[in-house]
């Protein structure tokens, strides 16, 4: 009998990324999300009799850039193959893809991606990176609870896809999620794809098995239809638990494809009888090989943008905590914001605190991305400078931040218009201090008895009276002086 | 003589001298089609009205003395395997009956630009699979020389149309001999260009690594003229060559003096009809008289060309024909389940030879058999290619009969696929090696045409055309016309 | 060559061809005959010979990433066996591939 404690989860991922090209993989039709159905089609992507494919140069370049960034060995000559199977969303009833044919590997093999899981560094090996074309979209039409017919839109047919396959190096659903976040960030830094998962630009299939205590690998299942990172984590957690339960009950895991049901939060077996698909791969006769010389690979490597691992290391060397560095690096748009602010405000650690703390907090609360809000790096920098020169307190800055973030504005102007300048003149505060002391005899007595917290309270009262404008250090000092006697 | 039996080179002269108008020329063909095509059945579709309208426009332009493109006002028949926008393109199959492509093949666009008029779409073996045009889903075409016999295939309709004067010239396609063999059986000229010389965009694919579009004409000069318009790079076809296109007409002159021509030993063995052997030997002798250096060459792996071809071509075809499933175009058998729909549509729409080849090709690629069949055939293909390379180290052209026999009777080989396949034994190796090859008439046997095949180095159509032209001009075969019923021209 | 009915049925399924009983029998016979003839390829010593994938050496035929006009939907759908509101219409497809 196998107990859950004895098993190790083994996960491999197969990721399809839609490349950010203007036109399709093998034809000149435009790539666009949500265009009216069947308006971005031509003889080639519709698979009409007589049509022929021609490779999109930019798709090759983006695939190459990714493969190089992932440390892959690049095939000096890579070819396309036909993967033959019948399905209504596949107009030719074969997909042009890349397969291993004798000694001809696909675009890139044997790379790796580093990432962190709660601060712990991990690396996952990348088995292969290759190019292929996307299929059309099948939609089911239901009437009265039954599917009456299906509709097909071929706008997506022929869109360039990059397939990235990992070795089964992931050890938990959480890890799978972290890997995907890291991969997504990398793809955004490389500018190979906007990777909007909600638009289907990043699709994930997973293989999962449990390793027994004696080290042998259990049967694996394939899990599909996970349409968000959260779905990936939940689906894999469910599947791991399901397999553990099966094994724990003395049963055997069936090798099958399972689909994630987002509504019911379960995986269920695919109804297709898996007569093992025979794809009858053979080299695509309509396309000549793509040559990628060493010089070009070197050039691509040299012109890579700063990669996440390098960026993270740089941030840490600038004084950021590992946590803050990770948080910023995982979000390329936020990192871009941070970099732009950093150029004007070199106090990296302080800046990072604000970005990962208050700014991120507001974004999370509003459910927005940094690109969706009005806040500009220059504005944040302006705000921080006002603190630095003592015009406002940190408290006031925090209060202003939500408005600046969501609606924009100029910090200095706002401060002036609302009279939020910090009161830093002792003379102005002395009278108020007297008033507060007089109004709060108990806390005064408590402080005199040694309770520090009472002072905090008193400071708070002064701050409240000045609507946060008093310089808190000054108030603190004045109160202490007054109470010393 | 009716203009309908004149070569294009002469027709162009008459059109330019205004002794003939495009409309009159067109009518000559339309009348002959009316008169003879009821029995020859070269055409699947005659675009009479559209052609007449175009011919009238060209009449005006000639009358005005406009600057005119090279083929202005000349009709052409096109094998129904090539996409013509808005004009039915059936590929000889019921599965595409009524389908009108929303685009023109590149060769069609080039022809239109050159001023050609689409006369009609000609009959073929279904999806180009066959050597007799008996595999057409719409009935066979008859050989104008003897209507109880086949015109050859798969471009039988185009060959018969040209031979019978139902078109001045025509486009055919050649994957294993489908231009050359019908040209041979119908007594006309047929040229298969080097693989990659002519764009395949818009050519409905059969064997992607073998297919080429080429001319079927009355004379070699006409073939050169037509090739000139067809040849050249196309950004829509990744396999099309970007090599410059020579002046093929200029290349015709020069004769064969000093040219080294290799008579392939394997071409003259048993299996060759005696009359064919005699005609080809005489043709070789004629070439020698004209000053060519005739030597013997050997192509040892030619015996393996047939199985090699039928494994490679059918494998590619099994994949190319997967798209015919009733979803986006053509025939659909309505059933409630989509998988059933695919299978029933294809069962109803494809003829037996197509099904046979799809099965063969699918098998050759299937798990466990890929290495034994497809991969093996691809390696054998390399050997065939090497044989030709070795031959071309010694000679400039290789000579073979085009077909081992003259036209056989309708129905004679339909029950024995292998027998049918053997018709292409001399043409197939040329496709495997991707070389240019021409068939020119070289005599008769039992009253039926015999064809001589000349094969050249890659992209050396010029030498092929030059030798063929020299031979043709030294003989009278190209002036012979079939005795159509009632015929006197 | 071991072509039997079961093989023919399997291949027909892979190729999405519904065969009649006559066809099944005929094709089994014919394919066997054809493949027996093709067996002669075994005579050739092909061990180290490179397969011909492309008959002409060429590489890097690439297209610039510039969008070009697409087809008019009406013209394409006019050729479709069945269509509905801009989509191709088919009987229900129940399972992902």
């Amino acid at each position: 009998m196998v107990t859950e404690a004895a098993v190790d989860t083994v996960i491999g991922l197969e990721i399809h990324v839609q490349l950010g090209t203007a036109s399709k993989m093998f034809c000149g039709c435009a790539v666009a999300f949500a265009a009216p159905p069947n308006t971005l089609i031509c003889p080639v992507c519709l698979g009409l009799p007589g049509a022929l494919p021609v490779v999109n140069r930019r798709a090759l370049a983006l695939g190459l850039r990714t493969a190089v960034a992932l440390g892959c060995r690049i095939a000096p000559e890579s070819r396309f193959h036909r993967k033959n199977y019948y399905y209504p969303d596949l107009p030719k009833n074969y997909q042009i893809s890349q397969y291993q044919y004798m000694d001809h590997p696909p675009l890139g093999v044997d790379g790796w991606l580093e990432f962190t899981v709660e601060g712990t560094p991990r690396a996952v090996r990348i088995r292969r990176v290759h190019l292929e074309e996307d299929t059309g979209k099948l939609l089911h039409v239901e009437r009265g609870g039954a599917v009456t017919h299906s509709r097909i839109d071929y706008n997506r047919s022929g869109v360039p896809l990059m397939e990235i396959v990992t070795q089964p190096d992931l050890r938990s659903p959480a890890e799978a999620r972290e890997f995907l976040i890291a991969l997504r960030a990398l793809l955004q830094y490389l500018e190979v794809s906007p990777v909007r998962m909600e638009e289907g630009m990043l699709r994930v299939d997973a293989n999962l098995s449990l390793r027994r205590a004696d080290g042998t690998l259990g049967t694996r299942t394939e899990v599909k239809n996970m349409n968000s990172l959260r779905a990936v984590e939940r689906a894999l957690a469910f599947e791991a638990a399901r397999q553990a339960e099966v094994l724990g009950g003395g049963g055997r895991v069936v090798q099958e494809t399972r689909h994630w049901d987002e509504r019911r939060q379960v995986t269920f077996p695919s109804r297709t009888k898996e007569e093992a698909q025979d794809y009858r791969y053979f080299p695509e006769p309509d396309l000549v090989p793509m040559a990628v010389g060493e010089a070009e690979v070197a050039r691509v490597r040299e012109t890579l943008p700063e990669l996440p691992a390098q960026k993270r290391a740089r941030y840490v060397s600038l004084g950021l905590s590992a946590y803050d560095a990770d948080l910023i690096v995982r979000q390329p748009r936020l990192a871009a914001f941070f970099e732009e602010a950093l150029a004007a405000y070199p106090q990296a650690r302080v800046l990072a605190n604000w970005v990962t703390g208050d700014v991120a907090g507001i974004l999370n609360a509003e459910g927005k991305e940094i690109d969706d809000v009005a806040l500009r790096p220059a504005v944040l920098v302006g705000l921080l400078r006002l603190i630095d020169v003592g015009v406002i307190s940190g408290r006031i800055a925090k209060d202003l931040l939500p408005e600046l973030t969501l609606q924009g504005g100029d910090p200095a102007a706002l401060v002036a218009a609302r009279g939020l300048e910090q009161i830093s003149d002792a003379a102005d505060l002395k009278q108020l201090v007297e008033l507060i002391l007089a109004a709060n005899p108990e806390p005064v007595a408590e402080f005199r008895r040694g309770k520090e917290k009472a002072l905090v309270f008193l400071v708070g009262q002064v701050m409240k009276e000045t609507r946060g404008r008093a310089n808190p250090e000054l108030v603190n000092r004045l109160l202490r002086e007054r109470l010393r006697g | 003589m009716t203009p309908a039996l004149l070569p294009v080179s002469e027709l162009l002269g008459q059109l330019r001298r205004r002794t003939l108008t495009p409309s009159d020329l067109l009518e000559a063909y339309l009348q002959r089609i009316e008169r003879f095509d009821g029995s020859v059945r070269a055409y699947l579709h005659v675009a009479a009205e559209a052609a007449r309208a175009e011919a009238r426009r060209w009449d005006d332009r000639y009358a005005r003395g406009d600057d005119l493109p090279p083929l202005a006002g000349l009709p052409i028949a096109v094998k129904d395997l090539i996409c013509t926008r808005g004009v039915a393109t059936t590929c000889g199959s019921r599965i595409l009956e009524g389908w009108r492509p929303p685009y023109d093949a590149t060769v069609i666009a080039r022809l239109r630009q050159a001023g050609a008029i689409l006369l009609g779409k000609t009959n073929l073996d279904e999806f180009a699979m066959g050597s007799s045009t008996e595999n057409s889903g719409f009935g066979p075409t008859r050989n104008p020389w003897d209507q109880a016999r086949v015109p050859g295939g798969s471009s039988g309709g185009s060959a018969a149309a040209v031979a019978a004067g139902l078109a001045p010239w025509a486009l055919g396609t050649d994957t294993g001999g489908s231009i050359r063999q019908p040209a041979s059986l119908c007594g006309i000229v047929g040229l298969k260009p080097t693989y990659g010389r002519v764009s395949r965009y818009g050519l409905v694919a059969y064997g992607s690594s073998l297919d080429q579009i080429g001319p079927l004409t009355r004379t070699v000069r006409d073939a050169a003229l037509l090739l000139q318009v067809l040849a050249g790079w196309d950004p829509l076809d990744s396999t099309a060559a970007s090599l410059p296109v020579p002046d093929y007409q200029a290349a015709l002159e020069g004769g064969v003096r000093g040219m080294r021509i290799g008579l392939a030993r394997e071409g003259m063995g048993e299996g060759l009809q005696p009359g064919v052997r005699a005609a080809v030997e005489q043709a070789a002798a004629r070439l020698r008289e004209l000053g060519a250096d005739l030597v013997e060459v050997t192509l040892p792996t030619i015996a393996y060309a047939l199985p090699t071809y039928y494994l490679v071509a059918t494998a590619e075809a099994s994949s190319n024909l997967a798209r015919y499933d009733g979803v986006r175009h053509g025939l659909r058998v309505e059933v409630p389940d989509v998988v059933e729909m695919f299978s029933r549509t294809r069962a109803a729409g494809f003829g037996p030879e197509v099904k046979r080849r799809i099965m063969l090709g699918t098998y050759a690629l299937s798990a466990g058999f890929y290495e034994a069949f497809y991969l093996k055939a691809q390696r054998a293909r390399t050997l065939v290619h090497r044989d030709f390379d070795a031959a071309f180290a010694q000679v400039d052209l290789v000579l073979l009969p085009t077909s081992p026999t003259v036209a056989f009777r309708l129905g004679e080989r339909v029950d024995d696929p292998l027998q049918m396949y053997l018709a292409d034994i001399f043409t197939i190796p040329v496709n495997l090696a991707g070389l240019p090859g021409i068939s020119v008439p070289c005599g008769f046997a039992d009253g039926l045409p015999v064809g001589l095949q000349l094969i050249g180095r890659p992209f050396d159509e010029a030498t092929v055309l030059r030798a063929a032209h020299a031979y043709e001009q030294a003989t009278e075969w190209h002036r012979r016309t079939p005795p159509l019923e009632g015929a006197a021209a | 060559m071991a072509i039997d009915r079961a093989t023919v049925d399997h291949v027909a399924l892979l190729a999405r061809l519904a065969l009649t009983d006559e066809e099944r029998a005929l094709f089994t016979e014919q394919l066997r005959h054809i493949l027996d003839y093709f067996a002669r390829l075994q005579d050739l010593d092909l061990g180290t010979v490179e397969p011909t994938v492309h008959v002409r050496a060429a590489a890097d035929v690439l297209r610039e990433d510039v969008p070009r006009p697409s087809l008019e939907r009406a013209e394409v759908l006019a050729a479709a066996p069945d269509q509905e509101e801009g989509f191709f219409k088919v009987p229900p497809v129940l399972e992902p591939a």
Side-chain angles (χ1 to χ4, degrees):
Chain A
M1 286 267 271
V2 177
T3 64
E4 278 188 47
V7 305
D8 204 6
T9 315
V10 175
I11 298 168
L13 298 178
E14 190 177 291
I15 300 122
H16 288 90
V17 181
Q18 261 187 26
L19 294 175
T21 54
S23 62
K24 292 188 179 183
M25 184 76 224
F26 298 116
C27 68
C29 288
V31 177
F33 187 70
N38 292 305
T39 52
L40 300 174
I41 55 175
C42 76
V44 180
C45 56
L46 204 55
L48 291 184
L52 294 173
V54 184
V55 177
N56 182 329
R57 181 189 295 279
R58 187 158 166 74
L60 174 58
L62 296 179
L64 182 60
R65 192 188 300 169
T66 308
V68 170
L70 287 170
C72 291
R73 204 167 57 245
I74 306 300
E77 201 180 67
S78 72
R79 296 154 184 263
F80 285 99
H81 295 84
R82 292 192 186 178
K83 179 179 183 182
N84 297 283
Y85 66 97
Y86 284 80
Y87 206 66
D89 68 1
L90 191 60
K92 302 183 292 296
N93 286 318
Y94 62 84
Q95 180 194 36
I96 301 178
S97 178
Q98 289 189 290
Y99 190 61
Q100 179 109 8
Y101 175 71
M102 296 176 38
D103 302 323
H104 299 290
L107 188 61
V109 295
D110 296 344
W112 72 93
L113 179 66
E114 287 166 356
F115 60 108
T116 59
V117 184
E118 286 170 12
T120 312
R122 289 274 291 122
V124 165
R125 292 168 299 164
I126 304 294
R127 182 180 256 152
R128 55 194 278 120
V129 174
H130 75 250
L131 297 172
E132 58 187 33
E133 54 176 347
D134 209 343
T135 63
K137 269 205 195 131
L138 205 50
L139 305 138
H140 305 304
V141 178
E142 272 183 52
R143 300 243 161 89
V147 179
T148 54
H149 59 279
S150 300
R151 295 170 157 190
I152 316 173
D153 171 15
Y154 291 104
N155 283 351
R156 197 183 67 181
S157 167
V159 167
L161 286 184
M162 178 171 57
E163 182 174 314
I164 299 171
V165 180
T166 74
Q167 297 281 10
D169 291 346
L170 294 160
R171 292 287 167 267
S172 73
E175 210 169 74
R177 187 195 164 131
E178 288 303 314
F179 169 82
L180 289 169
I181 289 172
L183 179 66
R184 188 176 61 177
L186 174 67
L187 295 171
Q188 287 174 319
Y189 285 120
L190 293 174
E191 293 184 269
V192 299
S193 171
V195 216
R196 290 186 288 269
M197 218 168 157
E198 65 282 6
E199 286 179 21
M201 301 184 86
L202 181 84
R203 289 169 237 159
V204 181
D205 295 333
N207 284 303
L208 187 149
S209 63
L210 300 180
R211 194 188 339 248
R212 291 181 264 270
D214 63 5
T216 55
L217 217 50
T219 313
R220 63 166 206 246
T221 60
E222 191 184 5
V223 182
K224 294 168 103 88
N225 197 42
M226 302 168 288
N227 295 326
S228 66
L229 292 180
R230 196 170 61 179
V232 171
E233 194 172 5
R234 288 191 181 166
L236 292 178
F238 177 90
E239 183 59 17
R242 185 192 73 82
Q243 286 193 15
E245 198 178 313
V246 166
L247 293 173
R252 305 175 75 222
V253 172
V254 175
Q255 180 173 5
E256 60 187 352
T257 299
R258 298 179 70 91
H259 294 279
W260 173 246
D261 183 329
E262 183 65 36
R263 206 173 39 85
R264 292 185 298 141
Q265 295 279 297
V266 298
T267 65
F268 64 92
S270 157
R271 254 175 296 154
T272 325
K273 281 174 295 165
E274 285 285 305
E275 329 115 0
Q277 275 278 27
D278 182 357
Y279 293 119
R280 287 159 280 133
Y281 287 101
F282 69 101
E284 173 57 80
D286 292 332
L287 292 173
V288 297
M290 301 173 292
V292 182
E294 278 180 34
E296 183 169 356
V297 174
R299 191 188 54 79
V300 170
R301 194 171 284 126
E302 277 156 39
T303 54
L304 286 177
E306 187 182 41
L307 297 183
Q310 299 160 304
K311 198 181 281 288
R312 187 184 178 282
R314 178 164 63 89
Y315 288 172
V316 167
S317 76
L318 286 174
L320 270 67
S321 67
Y323 179 83
D324 279 0
D326 275 337
L327 200 147
I328 294 176
V329 167
R330 288 147 72 101
Q331 303 176 70
R333 300 278 68 85
L334 193 65
F337 180 96
F338 177 73
E339 295 280 353
E340 199 181 322
L342 190 63
Y345 190 85
Q347 300 167 66
R349 202 182 169 105
V350 171
L351 182 63
N353 282 339
W354 279 88
V355 169
T356 64
D358 296 88
V359 174
I362 294 165
L363 294 176
N364 286 339
E366 299 291 322
K368 289 199 187 295
E369 300 290 321
I370 190 70
D371 284 349
D372 301 332
V373 297
L375 185 66
R376 294 277 154 277
V379 170
L380 179 62
V381 168
L383 190 67
L384 297 186
R385 287 207 180 116
L386 289 177
I387 302 175
D388 288 346
V389 299
V391 170
I392 55 171
S393 64
R395 166 84 268 133
I396 295 288
K398 281 186 201 289
D399 289 345
L400 284 175
L401 193 58
E403 183 182 339
L404 287 170
T405 303
L406 300 173
Q407 286 147 268
D410 171 44
L414 229 53
V415 164
R418 296 179 197 173
L420 298 173
E421 295 87 342
Q422 191 164 231
I423 307 170
S424 294
D425 192 329
D428 297 330
L429 287 173
K430 274 203 167 118
Q431 224 186 2
L432 182 58
V433 165
E434 293 303 325
L435 274 166
I436 295 298
L437 288 176
N440 294 280
E442 260 303 308
V444 170
E446 280 176 13
F447 178 70
R448 287 207 165 115
R449 282 199 294 276
K451 237 184 168 182
E452 276 296 314
K453 261 203 193 153
L455 186 71
V456 174
F457 173 76
L458 292 169
V459 170
Q461 292 298 94
V462 175
M463 297 302 289
K464 200 165 92 174
E465 275 305 309
T466 61
R467 283 171 295 118
R469 293 173 53 220
N471 181 322
E473 288 87 42
L474 182 58
V475 169
N476 197 301
R477 188 163 59 81
L478 289 172
L479 281 168
R480 279 188 198 275
E481 279 172 10
R482 248 326 250 106
L483 292 171
R484 230 177 323 157
Chain B
M1 189 196 243
T2 167
L5 291 170
L6 292 177
V8 167
S9 52
E10 287 191 39
L11 292 173
L12 275 175
Q14 290 195 23
L15 287 171
R16 285 178 193 142
R17 289 191 299 273
R18 323 249 210 98
T19 54
L20 181 64
T21 66
S23 287
D24 286 344
L25 179 60
L26 177 66
E27 276 324 302
Y29 293 110
L30 290 176
Q31 277 167 29
R32 285 179 73 85
I33 290 169
E34 169 105 21
R35 190 167 165 207
F36 298 120
D37 206 39
S39 82
V40 172
R41 317 198 92 238
Y43 283 93
L44 289 173
H45 170 72
V46 179
E49 283 324 302
R52 283 187 172 119
E54 270 186 73
R56 281 194 290 273
R57 280 197 287 277
W58 287 111
D59 288 347
D60 291 343
R61 294 191 60 184
Y62 269 105
R64 285 203 301 269
D66 282 357
D67 249 337
L68 294 168
L71 305 181
L74 265 170
I76 185 164
V78 172
K79 181 176 184 179
D80 206 19
L81 192 61
I82 296 169
C83 287
T84 44
R85 185 176 180 180
V87 177
T89 301
T90 66
C91 305
S93 179
R94 297 219 170 263
I95 215 168
L96 279 179
E97 193 170 4
W99 181 60
R100 289 180 214 231
Y103 76 108
D104 273 335
T106 295
V107 293
I108 300 298
R110 292 173 101 109
L111 284 169
R112 288 198 200 284
Q113 239 186 340
I117 297 174
L118 179 66
L119 185 40
K121 307 301 288 293
T122 57
N123 199 15
L124 64 156
D125 283 297
E126 189 179 4
F127 287 108
M129 299 183 189
S131 311
S132 66
T133 311
E134 292 171 290
N135 293 328
S136 169
F138 306 103
T141 297
R142 294 165 200 289
N143 193 319
W145 293 88
D146 176 347
Q147 295 196 31
R149 292 178 184 264
V150 302
S154 59
S155 310
S158 280
V162 174
L166 307 180
W169 54 7
L171 287 188
T173 75
D174 192 313
T175 306
S178 291
I179 286 176
R180 293 160 288 153
Q181 186 252 22
S184 170
L185 269 51
C186 288
I188 58 166
V189 175
L191 170 71
K192 181 199 87 66
T194 309
Y195 183 83
R197 180 77 282 184
V198 175
S199 167
R200 291 185 300 119
Y201 186 78
L203 166 59
V204 179
Y206 156 29
S208 312
S209 70
L210 302 155
D211 295 339
Q212 270 292 280
I213 295 173
L216 282 147
T217 58
R218 308 194 72 82
T219 65
V220 176
R221 181 177 295 279
D222 285 358
L225 257 168
L226 188 44
L227 183 64
Q228 198 75 52
V229 172
L230 301 174
W233 180 66
D234 182 12
L236 295 173
D237 177 358
S238 301
T239 60
S242 58
L243 297 168
V245 180
D247 183 338
Y248 293 121
Q249 281 231 82
L252 290 174
E253 316 309 332
V256 294
R257 193 155 296 283
M259 208 185 264
R260 299 166 303 161
I261 301 181
L263 198 55
R265 175 196 306 168
E266 293 78 9
M268 304 309 274
E270 325 127 12
L272 207 53
Q273 188 179 333
V276 171
R277 181 200 307 278
V280 172
E281 281 170 347
Q282 270 168 40
R286 195 79 188 89
L287 282 164
R288 191 180 281 115
E289 282 163 27
L290 291 169
D293 216 338
L294 269 286
V295 297
E296 192 187 67
V297 293
T298 174
L299 303 168
T301 53
I302 206 177
Y304 302 94
L306 209 99
T308 301
Y309 167 82
Y310 275 101
L311 287 170
V312 172
T314 58
E316 291 174 0
S318 71
S319 178
N320 286 327
L321 269 65
R323 68 194 68 197
Y324 305 107
D325 59 10
V327 175
R328 293 159 297 280
H329 37 66
L331 179 73
R332 176 192 290 193
V333 172
E334 290 286 356
V335 290
D337 167 62
V338 122
V339 176
E340 271 295 293
M341 183 185 97
F342 283 11
S343 297
R344 294 211 175 276
T345 297
R346 292 159 66 76
F350 289 143
E353 184 59 33
V354 168
K355 286 180 188 171
R356 228 180 334 263
R357 294 197 195 192
I358 289 175
M359 299 274 291
L360 200 46
T362 305
Y363 184 62
L365 291 172
S366 63
F369 296 104
Y370 180 87
E371 254 124 56
F373 291 121
Y374 183 71
L375 196 52
K376 189 157 282 190
Q378 285 208 317
R379 293 190 209 269
R381 184 173 182 178
T382 304
L383 292 185
V384 172
H385 201 162
R386 283 185 193 168
D387 275 3
F388 276 105
D389 285 344
F392 285 124
Q394 304 172 253
V395 298
D396 305 305
L397 292 172
V398 171
L399 188 155
L400 277 168
T402 305
S403 165
T405 65
V406 295
F408 42 92
R409 311 188 85 82
L410 286 157
E412 188 178 306
R413 298 191 189 184
V414 288
D415 293 327
D416 190 346
L418 206 48
Q419 263 313 298
M420 188 69 88
Y421 298 166
L422 287 165
D424 295 323
I425 201 151
F426 298 131
T427 48
I428 274 172
V430 183
N431 301 79
L432 289 175
L435 303 170
I438 199 169
S439 179
V440 283
C442 71
F444 288 81
D446 304 331
L448 294 161
V450 179
L452 174 74
Q453 191 182 191
L454 293 167
I455 302 151
R457 293 189 180 91
F459 300 99
D460 194 13
E461 283 81 358
T463 302
V464 171
L465 289 164
R466 188 166 112 226
H469 179 70
Y471 172 77
E472 177 195 81
Q473 294 296 298
T475 63
E476 293 293 304
W477 309 121
H478 59 291
R479 299 196 197 286
R480 298 267 296 265
T481 58
L484 291 163
E485 272 174 295
Chain C
M1 285 291 120
I3 297 268
D4 55 5
R5 292 286 188 103
T7 311
V8 166
D9 284 345
H10 175 65
V11 172
L13 176 59
L14 285 178
R16 297 296 187 268
L17 284 173
L19 298 180
T20 63
D21 286 333
E22 293 90 43
E23 280 172 325
R24 209 178 265 116
L26 181 65
F27 289 161
T28 306
E29 180 52 47
Q30 289 177 328
L31 291 177
R32 193 182 285 145
H33 185 48
I34 291 168
L35 286 165
D36 279 348
Y37 177 78
F38 291 179
R40 61 179 48 199
L41 277 182
Q42 310 300 334
D43 299 345
L44 291 173
D45 181 11
L46 295 166
T48 54
V49 180
E50 270 290 299
T52 297
V53 178
H54 293 101
V55 78
R56 198 172 58 85
D60 281 353
V61 179
L62 301 169
R63 182 178 54 83
E64 296 310 312
D65 185 30
V66 174
R68 301 188 55 77
S70 291
L71 289 174
E72 282 302 316
R73 180 168 77 189
E75 194 176 358
V76 174
L77 288 180
D82 201 0
Q83 52 104 354
E84 172 181 273
E85 291 175 22
F87 293 92
F88 290 87
K89 183 178 169 189
V90 291
V93 182
L94 295 168
E95 263 305 319

